[in-house]
Amino acid sequence: FAGGVLAGHNFASGRCVYGLEGEISGLTGSASRAQTQVFPIGGCCFTSSQKVEADWMMTLRPRIGYAFDNALVYATGGLALARLRYIEQATDTAGDIENTDVRRVKTGYALGAGIEYALSGRWSVRGASLYANFGRISADTIASINYVSPTPLVYSHRVDFSYSTARVALSYRFGP
């Protein structure tokens, strides 16, 4: 679920409408995965649990559209920012434990399209989809046990973040 505030300004030239809009949304939802595998040597098993989440997202996007009577069909795209979190824990039957907890504010891009319909007065309703991509977060963590070598065993993690939403919004237009 995402809920937030959207503000913008539009200009019209004939049936073409263009403008700029910005928003901030609180997000709920996450993706997680756990898997257990056997090491190639020794038969020892390890389990890895991973979770990714975002708790807020902001966008600033130009918008261009075409008006048909009370309806506006539009496309949008621009800058996106989000606070992202990646959590990972690996354990094995030999007693090794490795934890990663990375939190970052990342920039990316957002692309979307939608239909906005003007209701009576200054109100309108819109349905839209928005895709945001924030690239990759990488992290290296050190294992708690060294098996053979006196140098630490380092685990490298990479996760790609993207977010897709289908949204409905009720808008109020200020001004003329």
Side-chain angles (χ1 to χ4, degrees):
F1 179 80
V5 176
L6 169 74
H9 190 75
N10 291 314
F11 303 93
S13 176
R15 291 187 175 266
C16 289
V17 176
Y18 54 96
L20 183 67
E21 58 187 24
E23 69 174 287
I24 184 164
S25 300
L27 307 173
T28 61
S30 62
S32 59
R33 174 175 87 173
Q35 62 185 26
T36 300
Q37 297 192 350
V38 177
F39 285 121
I41 300 172
C44 180
C45 294
F46 70 94
T47 300
S48 177
S49 302
Q50 300 172 318
K51 181 178 181 181
V52 294
E53 59 189 22
D55 58 2
W56 60 261
M57 180 173 71
M58 293 173 38
T59 65
L60 182 62
R61 308 179 315 270
R63 174 169 97 145
I64 187 165
Y66 192 80
F68 302 92
D69 297 323
N70 286 359
L72 173 68
V73 177
Y74 67 90
T76 185
L79 176 68
L81 290 120
R83 186 169 67 184
L84 308 172
R85 185 176 185 193
Y86 170 69
I87 305 163
E88 184 272 345
Q89 182 179 46
T91 58
D92 67 25
T93 52
D96 186 17
I97 299 172
E98 181 262 331
N99 292 297
T100 302
D101 189 343
V102 178
R103 298 168 199 228
R104 296 221 172 92
V105 174
K106 292 279 287 182
T107 59
Y109 65 90
L111 300 171
I115 299 173
E116 187 167 348
Y117 187 81
L119 303 171
S120 63
R122 298 180 176 272
W123 291 95
S124 64
V125 64
R126 75 167 66 176
S129 64
L130 189 69
Y131 170 79
N133 188 311
F134 299 99
R136 177 174 288 170
I137 288 181
S138 300
D140 293 331
T141 54
I142 297 173
S144 62
I145 294 178
N146 291 318
Y147 295 102
V148 180
S149 167
T151 60
L153 179 61
V154 177
Y155 294 99
S156 294
H157 306 281
R158 295 183 312 213
V159 62
D160 294 317
F161 282 87
S162 62
Y163 191 77
S164 296
T165 60
R167 41 186 35 192
V168 175
L170 183 62
S171 300
Y172 183 79
R173 186 178 65 249
F174 296 95

